[in-house]
Amino acid sequence: MKTIDELLTEGVAGKRVFVRADLNVPLDGGTITDDGRIRAVLPTVKALADAGAKVVVASHLGRPKGAPDPAFSLAPAAARMGELLGTDVAFATDTVGDSARSTVAGLADGQVAVIENLRFNAGETAKDDAERGAFADRLAELADVYVGDGFGAVHRKHASVFDLPARLPHAAGHLIATEVGVLKKLTEDVKRPYVVALGGSKVSDKLAVIDQLLGKADRLLIGGGMVFTFLKAKGYEVGASLLQDDQIPVVQEYIARAEKNGVELVLPVDVLTSTGFPDLKTKAPGNPNTVAADAIPADQLGLDIGPETRKLYASKLADAATVFWNGPMGVFEHPDYAEGTRAVAQALLDSPAFTVVGGGDSAAAVRLLGFDENAFGHISTGGGASLEYLEGKTLPGLAALED
C-alpha cells in the first residue's frame, strides 16, 4: 500500500488531490458536538496543502436518501475545518455538478475545498456496479490523485471508497496508515495478556468479532446492553433489560467455547437498574438501583455495570499488555449511568498496556467524560471498520488502496 509520505516525495505541487475523509460528525442542528473526525484528517490535509496541492476533501454525513437534504450538509464540517486549519476552506454545494467543478477549478496551489455530502448522489452507495462506477467517473474528473484517509468508511463498498481509487493514482493518508498499523498490533504478534472489553447495545453486532476473539484474546469483559443476553444465556433473570432472545443459543455456545479454549469470559456481578430509560435530553435523575446481576427485578432494566463490577473489570485490565475496548458499559450519556464506562476508560489509562479505543460510542464517551485523548495508545475513528478488521474481513477501502 503506497503511503502519503511516498506521494509527497514524488511531488504534488499543482495537482488536484482528492482526499476521501470521514467527516461524519454528530450535529445538533447545525452545531458540531464532536469534531474528532475532522481533527483526525487534518495532518493529511495540511501536509498536502503545505506541499502545494489543490486539496479536494470529500465525505459522507449521516444517511440521506441519495438526494440533497439540508439536515445532512457538510457545510458545518467545512467551516470547522477552516477554523482548525486557520485558513479559508472553500465549499461546493454539490458533489459533481457546477458548484463542485467551479470550486475545484478556482483553487490555487495550497488551497483546500470541501465538496457536499457524497451520499446526496445515489451513485455513492449504489449496489449496482455500473451506477456506482458512473458516479466514480464523475468524481475522478475533479482530481489527478486520490488519497484514502476516511478509515471510518473503509468497510463500505461505496463509489468514493472502492471505485474511485481504481481510476486515479492512489495512496493511503496518515490516518489510515496509522489505523492499519494499530490493528496489526491487535492481530499479529500480540503482546499478552490480551484483554478485550466489549459493550454496546446489541450482542448481534459483536457476534462475529467475539467468534474471532475466542481464539485470540486471553480475556473478554462484557458490558453494555449486550450483556443481558449473556446473563440470560446463563439462566439469570434480566427483567425488562434489552435482550436478544434469538441470540441466546449462539451466546451459550460461545460461553462453552470460551471455557474450552481457556479464554476468561468475565460478566458483571452487579448492575444499575431503573424502572424506565433515562431522559438523555434533560438529564433528569434516573433513580438507579444497584442489584446483583442474577437478581434483576422483573419490572426493571439494566442500564450500567455496578460498583463491584467496576472494581472487578479494573482488576482484570490491570495486568494486560494489550487492550482493545469497543462499546460503552452503560448509558454513558446520562450521568447516573456513566460510571461503568468511566471506570473502564480510567482502567485503560492506569494500565501499562498498549490501549486501543475502538471508535464509535467508545471514542465519543472518552471525549464526553472529559478524558485526555492523547493518554490512550490509540483512539480509532472507525468503530465498525475496526470490528470488521478484527473479524478478519477484507475491507473494500483498504483493498482498493493496495497496489
Short mmCIF file of all heavy atoms in Angstrom, two decimals, residues 249-294:
data_model
loop_
_atom_site.label_atom_id
_atom_site.label_comp_id
_atom_site.label_asym_id
_atom_site.label_seq_id
_atom_site.Cartn_x
_atom_site.Cartn_y
_atom_site.Cartn_z
N PRO A 249 -28.92 -19.05 21.99
CA PRO A 249 -28.18 -20.29 21.69
C PRO A 249 -26.75 -20.03 21.22
O PRO A 249 -25.83 -20.78 21.60
CB PRO A 249 -29.03 -20.94 20.58
CG PRO A 249 -30.40 -20.39 20.77
CD PRO A 249 -30.19 -18.98 21.24
N VAL A 250 -26.55 -19.00 20.42
CA VAL A 250 -25.19 -18.67 19.96
C VAL A 250 -24.33 -18.25 21.14
O VAL A 250 -23.17 -18.68 21.26
CB VAL A 250 -25.23 -17.54 18.90
CG1 VAL A 250 -23.82 -17.21 18.42
CG2 VAL A 250 -26.11 -17.93 17.72
N VAL A 251 -24.87 -17.42 22.00
CA VAL A 251 -24.12 -16.95 23.16
C VAL A 251 -23.77 -18.12 24.08
O VAL A 251 -22.66 -18.19 24.63
CB VAL A 251 -24.92 -15.86 23.90
CG1 VAL A 251 -24.27 -15.53 25.24
CG2 VAL A 251 -25.01 -14.60 23.04
N GLN A 252 -24.70 -19.04 24.27
CA GLN A 252 -24.41 -20.23 25.09
C GLN A 252 -23.26 -21.03 24.52
O GLN A 252 -22.39 -21.52 25.26
CB GLN A 252 -25.67 -21.08 25.22
CG GLN A 252 -26.74 -20.47 26.12
CD GLN A 252 -28.04 -21.26 26.11
OE1 GLN A 252 -28.41 -21.88 25.12
NE2 GLN A 252 -28.75 -21.22 27.23
N GLU A 253 -23.23 -21.14 23.19
CA GLU A 253 -22.13 -21.87 22.54
C GLU A 253 -20.82 -21.13 22.74
O GLU A 253 -19.78 -21.76 22.99
CB GLU A 253 -22.44 -22.02 21.04
CG GLU A 253 -21.52 -22.97 20.31
CD GLU A 253 -20.26 -22.29 19.77
OE1 GLU A 253 -20.37 -21.11 19.37
OE2 GLU A 253 -19.19 -22.93 19.76
N TYR A 254 -20.84 -19.79 22.70
CA TYR A 254 -19.63 -19.00 22.91
C TYR A 254 -19.12 -19.12 24.34
O TYR A 254 -17.91 -19.19 24.59
CB TYR A 254 -19.88 -17.53 22.57
CG TYR A 254 -19.95 -17.23 21.08
CD1 TYR A 254 -20.22 -15.94 20.63
CD2 TYR A 254 -19.76 -18.22 20.13
CE1 TYR A 254 -20.28 -15.64 19.28
CE2 TYR A 254 -19.83 -17.94 18.78
CZ TYR A 254 -20.09 -16.65 18.36
OH TYR A 254 -20.16 -16.36 17.02
N ILE A 255 -20.06 -19.15 25.30
CA ILE A 255 -19.66 -19.32 26.70
C ILE A 255 -18.96 -20.66 26.90
O ILE A 255 -17.91 -20.74 27.55
CB ILE A 255 -20.90 -19.20 27.62
CG1 ILE A 255 -21.44 -17.77 27.61
CG2 ILE A 255 -20.55 -19.63 29.05
CD1 ILE A 255 -22.77 -17.59 28.33
N ALA A 256 -19.50 -21.71 26.27
CA ALA A 256 -18.89 -23.04 26.38
C ALA A 256 -17.54 -23.07 25.68
O ALA A 256 -16.57 -23.67 26.18
CB ALA A 256 -19.83 -24.08 25.78
N ARG A 257 -17.45 -22.41 24.53
CA ARG A 257 -16.18 -22.42 23.77
C ARG A 257 -15.10 -21.62 24.51
O ARG A 257 -13.93 -21.99 24.48
CB ARG A 257 -16.41 -21.87 22.37
CG ARG A 257 -15.17 -21.91 21.48
CD ARG A 257 -15.51 -22.27 20.04
NE ARG A 257 -16.47 -21.37 19.46
CZ ARG A 257 -16.16 -20.31 18.71
NH1 ARG A 257 -14.88 -20.02 18.49
NH2 ARG A 257 -17.09 -19.56 18.19
N ALA A 258 -15.49 -20.53 25.16
CA ALA A 258 -14.53 -19.76 25.93
C ALA A 258 -13.90 -20.62 27.02
O ALA A 258 -12.68 -20.62 27.22
CB ALA A 258 -15.20 -18.54 26.54
N GLU A 259 -14.73 -21.39 27.71
CA GLU A 259 -14.23 -22.27 28.77
C GLU A 259 -13.30 -23.33 28.19
O GLU A 259 -12.23 -23.60 28.74
CB GLU A 259 -15.40 -22.92 29.49
CG GLU A 259 -14.98 -23.76 30.68
CD GLU A 259 -16.15 -24.29 31.48
OE1 GLU A 259 -17.30 -23.97 31.14
OE2 GLU A 259 -15.91 -25.04 32.45
N LYS A 260 -13.70 -23.89 27.06
CA LYS A 260 -12.89 -24.94 26.42
C LYS A 260 -11.54 -24.40 25.96
O LYS A 260 -10.51 -25.07 26.08
CB LYS A 260 -13.65 -25.52 25.23
CG LYS A 260 -12.90 -26.61 24.48
CD LYS A 260 -13.72 -27.12 23.30
CE LYS A 260 -12.94 -28.17 22.51
NZ LYS A 260 -13.71 -28.65 21.33
N ASN A 261 -11.54 -23.15 25.43
CA ASN A 261 -10.32 -22.56 24.89
C ASN A 261 -9.44 -21.89 25.94
O ASN A 261 -8.37 -21.37 25.64
CB ASN A 261 -10.66 -21.52 23.81
CG ASN A 261 -11.24 -22.13 22.56
OD1 ASN A 261 -11.28 -23.36 22.42
ND2 ASN A 261 -11.71 -21.30 21.64
N GLY A 262 -9.92 -21.86 27.17
CA GLY A 262 -9.15 -21.20 28.22
C GLY A 262 -9.21 -19.69 28.16
O GLY A 262 -8.33 -19.00 28.69
N VAL A 263 -10.25 -19.16 27.51
CA VAL A 263 -10.46 -17.71 27.45
C VAL A 263 -11.34 -17.31 28.63
O VAL A 263 -12.44 -17.84 28.81
CB VAL A 263 -11.12 -17.29 26.13
CG1 VAL A 263 -11.40 -15.79 26.13
CG2 VAL A 263 -10.26 -17.67 24.94
N GLU A 264 -10.86 -16.39 29.44
CA GLU A 264 -11.63 -15.95 30.61
C GLU A 264 -12.73 -14.99 30.15
O GLU A 264 -12.45 -13.90 29.67
CB GLU A 264 -10.71 -15.27 31.62
CG GLU A 264 -11.40 -14.94 32.92
CD GLU A 264 -10.48 -14.27 33.93
OE1 GLU A 264 -9.29 -14.03 33.60
OE2 GLU A 264 -10.94 -13.96 35.04
N LEU A 265 -13.97 -15.41 30.30
CA LEU A 265 -15.12 -14.59 29.92
C LEU A 265 -15.71 -14.00 31.19
O LEU A 265 -16.24 -14.72 32.04
CB LEU A 265 -16.16 -15.44 29.18
CG LEU A 265 -17.41 -14.73 28.68
CD1 LEU A 265 -17.07 -13.65 27.67
CD2 LEU A 265 -18.37 -15.75 28.06
N VAL A 266 -15.61 -12.68 31.33
CA VAL A 266 -15.99 -12.01 32.57
C VAL A 266 -17.28 -11.23 32.38
O VAL A 266 -17.38 -10.38 31.49
CB VAL A 266 -14.87 -11.06 33.05
CG1 VAL A 266 -15.19 -10.54 34.45
CG2 VAL A 266 -13.52 -11.76 33.04
N LEU A 267 -18.28 -11.54 33.21
CA LEU A 267 -19.58 -10.88 33.17
C LEU A 267 -19.80 -10.10 34.46
O LEU A 267 -19.16 -10.36 35.48
CB LEU A 267 -20.69 -11.92 32.99
CG LEU A 267 -20.62 -12.78 31.72
CD1 LEU A 267 -21.74 -13.82 31.72
CD2 LEU A 267 -20.70 -11.91 30.47
N PRO A 268 -20.72 -9.13 34.45
CA PRO A 268 -20.96 -8.33 35.65
C PRO A 268 -21.44 -9.17 36.83
O PRO A 268 -22.14 -10.18 36.66
CB PRO A 268 -22.06 -7.36 35.21
CG PRO A 268 -21.94 -7.29 33.72
CD PRO A 268 -21.50 -8.65 33.30
N VAL A 269 -21.07 -8.72 38.03
CA VAL A 269 -21.59 -9.33 39.26
C VAL A 269 -22.72 -8.47 39.84
O VAL A 269 -23.51 -8.95 40.66
CB VAL A 269 -20.49 -9.53 40.30
CG1 VAL A 269 -19.48 -10.56 39.80
CG2 VAL A 269 -19.78 -8.21 40.64
N ASP A 270 -22.78 -7.20 39.42
CA ASP A 270 -23.89 -6.34 39.81
C ASP A 270 -24.15 -5.32 38.70
O ASP A 270 -23.28 -5.06 37.85
CB ASP A 270 -23.65 -5.64 41.15
CG ASP A 270 -22.42 -4.74 41.16
OD1 ASP A 270 -21.61 -4.80 40.20
OD2 ASP A 270 -22.26 -3.95 42.12
N VAL A 271 -25.35 -4.78 38.68
CA VAL A 271 -25.75 -3.83 37.64
C VAL A 271 -26.58 -2.71 38.26
O VAL A 271 -27.16 -2.87 39.35
CB VAL A 271 -26.57 -4.50 36.51
CG1 VAL A 271 -25.74 -5.52 35.76
CG2 VAL A 271 -27.83 -5.14 37.05
N LEU A 272 -26.61 -1.57 37.56
CA LEU A 272 -27.51 -0.48 37.93
C LEU A 272 -28.78 -0.62 37.11
O LEU A 272 -28.73 -0.79 35.89
CB LEU A 272 -26.87 0.88 37.65
CG LEU A 272 -25.61 1.25 38.44
CD1 LEU A 272 -25.23 2.70 38.17
CD2 LEU A 272 -25.80 1.02 39.93
N THR A 273 -29.92 -0.53 37.78
CA THR A 273 -31.20 -0.69 37.09
C THR A 273 -32.11 0.50 37.39
O THR A 273 -31.86 1.30 38.29
CB THR A 273 -31.91 -1.98 37.54
OG1 THR A 273 -32.28 -1.83 38.93
CG2 THR A 273 -31.04 -3.20 37.36
N SER A 274 -33.19 0.58 36.62
CA SER A 274 -34.23 1.56 36.85
C SER A 274 -35.52 1.01 36.25
O SER A 274 -35.50 0.05 35.48
CB SER A 274 -33.88 2.91 36.24
OG SER A 274 -34.88 3.87 36.52
N THR A 275 -36.64 1.66 36.58
CA THR A 275 -37.92 1.21 36.03
C THR A 275 -38.19 1.77 34.64
O THR A 275 -39.16 1.39 34.00
CB THR A 275 -39.07 1.63 36.96
OG1 THR A 275 -38.99 3.04 37.20
CG2 THR A 275 -38.99 0.87 38.29
N GLY A 276 -37.33 2.67 34.18
CA GLY A 276 -37.51 3.24 32.85
C GLY A 276 -36.20 3.77 32.30
O GLY A 276 -35.23 3.96 33.04
N PHE A 277 -36.16 4.01 30.98
CA PHE A 277 -34.95 4.53 30.35
C PHE A 277 -34.80 6.01 30.71
O PHE A 277 -35.78 6.76 30.72
CB PHE A 277 -35.06 4.36 28.83
CG PHE A 277 -33.73 4.44 28.12
CD1 PHE A 277 -32.90 3.34 28.05
CD2 PHE A 277 -33.31 5.64 27.54
CE1 PHE A 277 -31.67 3.41 27.42
CE2 PHE A 277 -32.08 5.72 26.91
CZ PHE A 277 -31.26 4.60 26.84
N PRO A 278 -33.60 6.47 31.01
CA PRO A 278 -33.41 7.86 31.45
C PRO A 278 -33.62 8.86 30.32
O PRO A 278 -33.44 8.54 29.15
CB PRO A 278 -31.96 7.87 31.93
CG PRO A 278 -31.29 6.80 31.14
CD PRO A 278 -32.33 5.72 30.98
N ASP A 279 -33.98 10.08 30.70
CA ASP A 279 -34.15 11.16 29.73
C ASP A 279 -32.77 11.75 29.42
O ASP A 279 -32.16 12.40 30.26
CB ASP A 279 -35.06 12.24 30.32
CG ASP A 279 -35.48 13.29 29.29
OD1 ASP A 279 -34.63 13.64 28.44
OD2 ASP A 279 -36.63 13.74 29.32
N LEU A 280 -32.30 11.52 28.18
CA LEU A 280 -30.95 11.95 27.83
C LEU A 280 -30.88 13.42 27.46
O LEU A 280 -29.79 13.99 27.38
CB LEU A 280 -30.43 11.10 26.66
CG LEU A 280 -30.35 9.59 26.93
CD1 LEU A 280 -29.75 8.87 25.73
CD2 LEU A 280 -29.55 9.30 28.19
N LYS A 281 -32.03 14.06 27.24
CA LYS A 281 -32.03 15.48 26.91
C LYS A 281 -31.98 16.34 28.17
O LYS A 281 -31.16 17.24 28.30
CB LYS A 281 -33.26 15.84 26.06
CG LYS A 281 -33.17 15.36 24.61
CD LYS A 281 -34.31 15.93 23.78
CE LYS A 281 -34.17 15.56 22.31
NZ LYS A 281 -32.99 16.19 21.67
N THR A 282 -32.87 16.06 29.11
CA THR A 282 -32.93 16.88 30.32
C THR A 282 -31.95 16.41 31.39
O THR A 282 -31.63 17.16 32.31
CB THR A 282 -34.34 16.85 30.93
OG1 THR A 282 -34.63 15.52 31.38
CG2 THR A 282 -35.38 17.27 29.89
N LYS A 283 -31.48 15.16 31.26
CA LYS A 283 -30.60 14.55 32.26
C LYS A 283 -31.27 14.51 33.63
O LYS A 283 -30.61 14.57 34.67
CB LYS A 283 -29.26 15.29 32.35
CG LYS A 283 -28.49 15.38 31.03
CD LYS A 283 -28.04 14.04 30.55
CE LYS A 283 -26.99 14.14 29.44
NZ LYS A 283 -27.49 14.71 28.18
N ALA A 284 -32.61 14.40 33.64
CA ALA A 284 -33.34 14.28 34.91
C ALA A 284 -32.86 13.04 35.66
O ALA A 284 -32.45 12.06 35.03
CB ALA A 284 -34.84 14.18 34.64
N PRO A 285 -32.88 13.06 36.99
CA PRO A 285 -32.39 11.91 37.77
C PRO A 285 -33.00 10.60 37.31
O PRO A 285 -34.20 10.50 37.06
CB PRO A 285 -32.82 12.26 39.20
CG PRO A 285 -32.84 13.75 39.23
CD PRO A 285 -33.33 14.17 37.86
N GLY A 286 -32.14 9.59 37.18
CA GLY A 286 -32.60 8.30 36.66
C GLY A 286 -33.00 7.30 37.74
O GLY A 286 -33.45 6.21 37.43
N ASN A 287 -32.82 7.68 39.03
CA ASN A 287 -33.18 6.81 40.15
C ASN A 287 -32.59 5.41 40.02
O ASN A 287 -33.32 4.40 40.01
CB ASN A 287 -34.71 6.73 40.27
CG ASN A 287 -35.34 8.09 40.49
OD1 ASN A 287 -34.87 8.88 41.30
ND2 ASN A 287 -36.41 8.38 39.74
N PRO A 288 -31.28 5.30 39.92
CA PRO A 288 -30.67 3.98 39.74
C PRO A 288 -30.70 3.13 41.02
O PRO A 288 -30.61 3.66 42.13
CB PRO A 288 -29.23 4.31 39.37
CG PRO A 288 -28.98 5.65 39.99
CD PRO A 288 -30.28 6.38 39.93
N ASN A 289 -30.86 1.83 40.82
CA ASN A 289 -30.76 0.87 41.91
C ASN A 289 -29.60 -0.07 41.61
O ASN A 289 -29.36 -0.42 40.45
CB ASN A 289 -32.04 0.03 42.02
CG ASN A 289 -33.28 0.88 42.22
OD1 ASN A 289 -33.32 1.70 43.12
ND2 ASN A 289 -34.28 0.68 41.36
N THR A 290 -28.87 -0.49 42.63
CA THR A 290 -27.81 -1.46 42.46
C THR A 290 -28.32 -2.83 42.88
O THR A 290 -28.77 -3.00 44.02
CB THR A 290 -26.57 -1.09 43.30
OG1 THR A 290 -26.11 0.20 42.91
CG2 THR A 290 -25.46 -2.09 43.08
N VAL A 291 -28.27 -3.79 41.95
CA VAL A 291 -28.76 -5.14 42.24
C VAL A 291 -27.73 -6.16 41.75
O VAL A 291 -26.91 -5.87 40.88
CB VAL A 291 -30.13 -5.41 41.57
CG1 VAL A 291 -31.16 -4.39 42.03
CG2 VAL A 291 -30.01 -5.38 40.06
N ALA A 292 -27.79 -7.36 42.31
CA ALA A 292 -26.93 -8.44 41.84
C ALA A 292 -27.29 -8.77 40.40
O ALA A 292 -28.45 -8.68 39.99
CB ALA A 292 -27.09 -9.66 42.73
N ALA A 293 -26.29 -9.17 39.62
CA ALA A 293 -26.51 -9.44 38.20
C ALA A 293 -27.46 -10.60 37.97
O ALA A 293 -28.06 -10.71 36.90
CB ALA A 293 -25.18 -9.71 37.51
N ASP A 294 -27.61 -11.47 38.97
CA ASP A 294 -28.51 -12.61 38.82
C ASP A 294 -29.85 -12.39 39.52
O ASP A 294 -30.62 -13.33 39.73
CB ASP A 294 -27.86 -13.89 39.34
CG ASP A 294 -27.50 -13.81 40.82
OD1 ASP A 294 -27.65 -12.72 41.41
OD2 ASP A 294 -27.06 -14.83 41.37
#
